Each structure stands twice: as structure tokens, then as C-alpha cells.
């Protein structure tokens, strides 16, 4: 494990990460504005940022700080011996890290993180559905678009709750896996037909897979979109069809920050083991 860790910014997940690392007896500190940034960085071997590392491509995501930290300033003040860890680095930040010669790892892109993070995401999506629907999930007709990590876990949970679950995918191997899980596989060609009977649609695909025809068929219904941009449908088209769309990104940090923080911590520990930090 590294000798000295500096945590900068982040949300409740990073609060949990910091507290948990301290309980593990690591030498970890949290950046405040009591000391200059350069002074804090000089005492660190590893710098950990939140998820996302930046929300605007220019500043470090640190809502608890009074003054914003420019990402360019942070990277300029670091040196080649330090390791920078963060979630969802944007292209501008990655370009700057290349210019300054910064070693970095995006923990969001780690497979173990994605697998573990699917659990609180799926549970949070079900919580939203229970709060928003006028009917129980038990006995409901539910659509899940996409059969990746989140789609797999979410559809299984929905089936266990007694919903009739139709999962839309593209690959024949996914169709076989969906069927073997006791769920209904379908091609996207038939999405409008299924939408006519659906009580709710959960999207996990970061692409416009829900077209105008499907939205019209779902008229008056609900979409819970768990995907990243460009999301599963066009909001203006959904509004025309009177379909409510809840874009529910970042659910782990909202519904289960303790669990989400532990997931980030375990992923970072794996990075430490692999890099020898």
C-alpha cells in the first residue's frame, strides 16, 4: 500500500472511502483549504479524486470546497512520481495528463468496479420504480433494454419480484442467457409491440435505442434511464408522447453511498496491488 494518500473532493461515496481507509490505518488525508494545494500535494504519493473527477471538464469535482480547483492547476502541481486515481476522466483531462506526464488510472473503467456497482444501481432503479408506479412490480409487465452488467442484475431482481420481464438485446448469446434466466428475450424490432403492454421501461444502453414508435406505444408510461449520455431516448420525443423519463445516473452514490464507497475502496486497493504502489 502507498505511504501517503491525499483525497480531494468527491461526494458521499468519497467521504466513506476516506473514513474506511483511515480505519484501515492508511496514511490518508483529506484536502481542505487550510493549506496551499501545492503543500498538500508535496506530502502525497497518491491523489484520489471523486466520481466523476470533474463535472465540467475544467475543475475538480469538489462541492465542499469554497474555491474551485482548476484541473489544469492540479495536474501542473503534481509530478511524475505520483499516481492520480479518479472516476470518469474526460478527454480534456486525459489530454492534460499526457502533457504533464501524469500517471493515472480511471477506477470507473475497472471491470470489478463495474460488476460490483451494478448491484446498488439496480436496487436504486427498483426503488425509484416502487415510488413512481401506481402498481406493484409484482405482476407488472416490465421492459429492460440492454443485457450488460446492470441489465443482467436488474432483470433478475425484477423477475424475483414477480414481474414479467422482457429483455431487449442484440446478440444471440444474450438471447440464450436471457431465456435460461427465465426471462423473455426480444429483438429491438419488437420494442414498440412490447411497449404497448409495459408498465415501466428500464434503459441501460447509452444509445438511442428507444425510438419515436416505441415512445408512442408507451404513451403515458414511465422510462427509468440508467445509461450515460446520449441516453436511451430523446426527451422532446418522449414529451410529445407524454412519457415520463427519469434519468437516474449516479444511483449508487445517492441510494447506497456506504456500499458505493466501499466498492471504490476495494477497486483502488486492487490498483495498488497491481501497480506496486
Amino acid at each position: 500500500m502507498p505511504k501517503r494518500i491525499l483525497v480531494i473532493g468527491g461526494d458521499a461515496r468519497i467521504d466513506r472511502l476516506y473514513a474506511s481507509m483511515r480505519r484501515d490505518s492508511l496514511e490518508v488525508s483529506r484536502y481542505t483549504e487550510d493549506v496551499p494545494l501545492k503543500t498538500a500535494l508535496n506530502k502525497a504519493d497518491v491523489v484520489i479524486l471523486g466520481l466523476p473527477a470533474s463535472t465540467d471538464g475544467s475543475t475538480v469535482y469538489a462541492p465542499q470546497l469554497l474555491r474551485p480547483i482548476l484541473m489544469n492547476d492540479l495536474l501542473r502541481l503534481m509530478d511524475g512520481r505520483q499516481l492520480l486515481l479518479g472516476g470518469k476522466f474526460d478527454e480534456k483531462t486525459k489530454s492534460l495528463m499526457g502533457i504533464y506526464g501524469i500517471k493515472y488510472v480511471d477506477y470507473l473503467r475497472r471491470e470489478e468496479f463495474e460488476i460490483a456497482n451494478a448491484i446498488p444501481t439496480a436496487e436504486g432503479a427498483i426503488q425509484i420504480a416502487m415510488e413512481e408506479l401506481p402498481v406493484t412490480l409484482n405482476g407488472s409487465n416490465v421492459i429492460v433494454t440492454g443485457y450488460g452488467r446492470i441489465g443482467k442484475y436488474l432483470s433478475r431482481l425484477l423477475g424475483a419480484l414477480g414481474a414479467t420481464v422482457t429483455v431487449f438485446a442484440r446478440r444471440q448469446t444474450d438471447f440464450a442467457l436471457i431465456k435460461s434466466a427465465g426471462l423473455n428475450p426480444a429483438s429491438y424490432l419488437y420494442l414498440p409491440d412490447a411497449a404497448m403492454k409495459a408498465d415501466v421501461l428500464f434503459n441501460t444502453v447509452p444509445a438511442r435505442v428507444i425510438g419515436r414508435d416505441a415512445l408512442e406505444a408507451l404513451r403515458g408510461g414511465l422510462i427509468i434511464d440508467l445509461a450515460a449520455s446520449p441516453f436511451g431516448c430523446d426527451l422532446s420525443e418522449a414529451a410529445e408522447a407524454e412519457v415520463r423519463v427519469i434519468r437516474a445516473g449516479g444511483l449508487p452514490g445517492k441510494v447506497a453511498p456506504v456500499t458505493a464507497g466501499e466498492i471504490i475502496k476495494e477497486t483502488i486497493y486492487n490498483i495498488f496491488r497491481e501497480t506496486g504502489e
Side-chain angles (χ1 to χ4, degrees), residues 69-107:
I69 299 174
L70 294 177
M71 187 66 75
N72 185 73
D73 288 346
L74 171 69
L75 300 177
R76 177 175 53 83
L77 293 172
M78 292 181 65
D79 62 51
R81 67 180 177 80
Q82 295 169 312
L83 174 65
L84 178 63
L85 304 177
K88 202 176 181 179
F89 286 119
D90 57 77
E91 293 303 317
K92 180 180 177 181
T93 299
K94 287 190 281 189
S95 177
L96 285 172
M97 289 189 288
I99 292 171
Y100 288 115
I102 304 299
K103 298 185 298 181
Y104 74 94
V105 179
D106 189 332
Y107 54 73

Side-chain angles (χ1 to χ4, degrees), residues 7-248:
V7 177
I8 302 177
D11 55 18
R13 291 170 287 187
I14 303 304
D15 292 341
R16 174 65 184 190
L17 164 74
Y18 171 69
S20 189
M21 282 184 163
R22 285 182 63 87
R23 283 195 297 273
D24 291 343
S25 299
L26 296 187
E27 188 178 340
V28 56
S29 59
R30 188 98 196 236
Y31 175 71
T32 64
E33 292 164 292
D34 297 334
V35 298
L37 179 59
K38 177 62 175 176
T39 301
L41 287 170
N42 284 342
K43 299 177 181 179
D45 302 303
V46 173
V47 178
I48 299 176
L49 303 182
L51 173 60
S54 174
T55 57
D56 59 11
S58 297
T59 59
V60 175
Y61 176 52
Q64 63 277 88
L65 299 180
L66 296 176
R67 295 184 298 276
I69 299 174
L70 294 177
M71 187 66 75
N72 185 73
D73 288 346
L74 171 69
L75 300 177
R76 177 175 53 83
L77 293 172
M78 292 181 65
D79 62 51
R81 67 180 177 80
Q82 295 169 312
L83 174 65
L84 178 63
L85 304 177
K88 202 176 181 179
F89 286 119
D90 57 77
E91 293 303 317
K92 180 180 177 181
T93 299
K94 287 190 281 189
S95 177
L96 285 172
M97 289 189 288
I99 292 171
Y100 288 115
I102 304 299
K103 298 185 298 181
Y104 74 94
V105 179
D106 189 332
Y107 54 73
L108 177 69
R109 306 303 177 192
R110 298 273 300 193
E111 186 172 9
E112 72 269 36
F113 176 88
E114 292 180 349
I115 292 171
N117 214 45
I119 297 172
T121 299
E123 291 184 1
I126 288 174
Q127 177 181 323
I128 292 173
M130 288 178 168
E131 292 171 350
E132 297 293 334
L133 289 175
V135 296
T136 62
L137 286 171
N138 183 281
S140 294
N141 287 309
V142 175
I143 290 172
V144 176
T145 48
Y147 202 59
R149 294 179 180 90
I150 294 172
K152 285 184 175 70
Y153 192 73
L154 174 61
S155 57
R156 189 165 72 244
L157 284 182
L158 289 165
L161 287 171
T164 299
V165 185
T166 303
V167 185
F168 284 79
R170 298 192 186 279
R171 300 186 304 173
Q172 292 298 322
T173 51
D174 286 337
F175 293 156
L177 289 170
I178 294 163
K179 189 172 183 179
S180 68
L183 308 169
N184 304 309
S187 166
Y188 283 100
L189 291 173
Y190 302 102
L191 184 56
D193 295 333
M196 293 180 66
K197 304 175 183 177
D199 295 292
V200 60
L201 186 157
F202 296 88
N203 176 60
T204 69
V205 183
R208 296 295 172 85
V209 294
I210 310 165
R212 192 182 296 271
D213 289 348
L215 290 168
E216 285 293 339
L218 192 63
R219 179 170 289 275
L222 173 66
I223 294 174
I224 298 174
D225 201 330
L226 307 173
S229 178
F231 310 104
C233 69
D234 181 271
L235 285 182
S236 61
E237 292 180 356
E240 290 175 8
E242 299 177 6
V243 173
R244 281 197 304 143
V245 179
I246 298 175
R247 287 183 172 173

